[in-house]
Amino acid sequence: MTKRGRFVTFEGGEGAGKSTQIERLARHLTALGLRVRLTREPGGPKDGSIEPAAALRKMLVEGDPARWSPKSEALLNYAQRVEHVNRFVAPALAAGEWVLCDRFADSTMAYQGYGHGLGPGFVRALHRATLGSFKPDLTFVLDIPVAEGLARAGARAGVDTRFERFPRDFHERVRKGFRAIAKAEPKRYALIDARGSAEAVEARVAKALAKRFPKL
Ligand code: TMP
């Protein structure tokens, strides 16, 4: 029987440098001879192959910040997640691949649970009802002061800026949420200081990876 792959997620506020770090980790794991798939939420892989998830991403990240009520935002994120997990993540893991995902369920907890104030109970219940006990093997939480992250994110051009336009205090609550989630379960989460050069952050990620998977 094929050995199940590992599910590793990257989390953090706007402009924390997740995409850079996930690509670097993918190169590192590939060089070790592992089969690696890159994906993201909301939306699934960038090629849009998980069509309903890609369609929901567009609805979530574009348009007016007030487009969705917080509850709808949480439900839509879980709708795309169910499609993404069932059609992409779970089959890849079963085939022995490592799946690296840019954001996952902890983003719903931090953004909708903490940022919008729906509360941890609501998000936990939603997760259990839709995905049961399915969770990542390891989650990196890239932590950066809100002002620094928003400045970095703002330097990127694009239409997917709906969340960046939420007020500063929303992003402060998101950061607080991520830090609380990571600290509550230090075995499954690695809280990474995302300030400094990409190389410095990459070294911190590598250290945490080796700690979680010593046999790699
Ligand atoms: P991205 O900019 O990292 O691609 O993510 C898109 C935005 O979606 C980001 O601002 C965070 C937000 N988001 C949520 O609010 N809840 C979620 O569950 C997910 C996955 C993302």
Side-chain angles (χ1 to χ4, degrees):
M1 219 176 83
T2 316
K3 190 169 171 273
R4 182 186 172 277
R6 299 287 180 203
F7 185 33
V8 178
T9 59
F10 280 73
E11 299 280 6
E14 311 301 318
K18 291 179 287 89
S19 339
T20 306
Q21 293 305 324
I22 207 166
E23 278 167 20
R24 287 175 180 233
L25 182 62
R27 280 203 291 276
H28 174 65
L29 294 173
T30 306
L32 294 177
L34 296 164
R35 284 178 298 139
V36 177
R37 305 296 296 275
L38 279 182
T39 188
R40 66 172 176 179
E41 288 207 349
K46 277 197 179 145
D47 64 6
S49 53
I50 310 302
E51 190 279 327
L56 287 170
R57 175 185 174 88
K58 208 167 147 53
M59 301 184 87
L60 280 160
V61 302
E62 293 181 11
D64 193 84
R67 184 176 190 182
W68 301 108
S69 69
K71 276 186 184 160
S72 300
E73 216 171 83
L75 293 168
L76 290 171
N77 270 296
Y78 265 90
Q80 67 79 35
R81 185 160 300 133
V82 166
E83 302 307 324
H84 184 213
V85 168
N86 292 341
R87 301 189 198 189
F88 184 87
V89 181
L93 294 174
E97 295 172 320
W98 279 58
V99 178
L100 308 187
C101 191
D102 188 338
R103 298 194 182 283
F104 190 64
D106 295 305
S107 276
T108 313
M109 184 59 91
Y111 280 78
Q112 283 69 50
Y114 285 82
H116 284 318
L118 287 180
F122 180 87
V123 181
R124 258 188 228 117
L126 192 52
H127 188 95
R128 184 146 287 279
T130 53
L131 291 174
S133 58
F134 184 85
K135 58 173 189 256
D137 296 288
L138 171 63
T139 296
F140 294 104
V141 174
L142 302 193
D143 183 55
I144 193 162
V146 169
E148 222 175 296
L150 285 175
R152 275 199 205 171
R156 287 192 310 247
V159 286
D160 53 346
T161 56
R162 182 172 162 260
F163 284 92
E164 285 167 35
R165 286 182 281 126
F166 278 113
R168 172 73 70 89
D169 61 330
F170 172 86
H171 292 285
E172 293 290 356
R173 288 193 296 277
V174 169
R175 182 182 188 206
K176 203 170 143 220
F178 274 132
R179 291 173 64 93
I181 295 166
K183 286 181 178 168
E185 227 186 305
K187 272 202 173 133
R188 201 173 74 65
Y189 293 89
L191 184 61
I192 304 284
D193 181 352
R195 290 171 301 181
S197 68
E199 287 69 33
V201 180
E202 184 181 2
R204 292 173 202 137
V205 168
K207 197 171 162 199
L209 181 84
K211 194 171 165 207
R212 175 68 181 80
F213 300 114
K215 287 185 190 149
L216 264 185

